[in-house]
Structure formats: structure tokens, C-alpha cells
């Protein structure tokens, strides 16, 4: 199952533990970091991690992840079987 996680808060342990568990279960996980979460230092561990381009720019322009614009986020929403917002 393709699952998209939209993570907005820096250090959201519940979101991270949930998506990592889903990776271990064999789901195709994509994580989009939004707002302050773009500053997070996640370990990918089998999932694709992206950061919102505008949120990265608003926080100094540095991200450890590939970026995606809003149109890309919308595309990911429609490609996913399930979307979870944190």
C-alpha cells in the first residue's frame, strides 16, 4: 500500500515511529516534511523523505532532503492509497 505522511511538527516521535513501523511492514512510504518539520533530521530507513520547498525557503533555505513544490505535494496526495496528516 502507498502511504503518504504529511509531518508538520519538528520531532514528532509518534509520526516517526508509525511511519517506520509501516516501512517495516512492507508498505511504500513517502514522507513530506512541512512547516518546522523541514528542519528535522530523520533517518530514511526504507522510506522516501521530501521537504516542502516553500517551507525550506522560509526557514533559511537549508534542507537535508530533496524538495517538492505545492503542485508536487498535490500530485503525491492523489498517488497515495492512504494519507496521514500529523
Amino acid at each position: 500500500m502507498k502511504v503518504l505522511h504529511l509531518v508538520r511538527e519538528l520531532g514528532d516521535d509518534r509520526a516517526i515511529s508509525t511511519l517506520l513501523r509501516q516501512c517495516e511492514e512492507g508498505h511504500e512510504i513517502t514522507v513530506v516534511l512541512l512547516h518546522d518539520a523541514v528542519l528535522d533530521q530523520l533517518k530514511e530507513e526504507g522510506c522516501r523523505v521530501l521537504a516542502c520547498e516553500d517551507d525550506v525557503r522560509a526557514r533559511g533555505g537549508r534542507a537535508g532532503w530533496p524538495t517538492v513544490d505545492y503542485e508536487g505535494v498535490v500530485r503525491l496526495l492523489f498517488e497515495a492509497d492512504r494519507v496521514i496528516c500529523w
Side-chain angles (χ1 to χ4, degrees), residues 1-83:
M1 177 185 302
K2 290 183 179 183
V3 183
L4 174 64
H5 289 266
L6 302 174
V7 180
R8 297 174 293 169
E9 294 183 27
L10 183 63
D12 190 334
D13 293 332
R14 191 172 68 154
I16 304 308
S17 65
T18 300
L19 67 91
L20 290 177
R21 186 176 66 246
Q22 289 177 339
C23 282
E24 291 170 2
E25 293 171 354
H27 298 287
E28 186 179 325
I29 304 299
T30 300
V31 182
V32 177
L33 302 173
L34 303 165
H35 307 297
D36 285 343
V38 299
L39 304 172
D40 227 333
Q41 299 297 317
L42 301 176
K43 293 181 182 173
E44 293 180 54
E45 310 214 15
C47 56
R48 180 170 74 159
V49 180
L50 304 168
C52 177
E53 189 175 288
D54 286 345
D55 291 333
V56 169
R57 222 176 301 122
R59 284 154 184 83
R62 293 177 298 279
W65 314 106
T67 59
V68 62
D69 61 11
Y70 286 120
E71 187 174 305
V73 173
V74 171
R75 187 173 43 257
L76 291 168
L77 289 167
F78 284 100
E79 291 172 357
D81 298 314
R82 184 175 183 197
V83 178

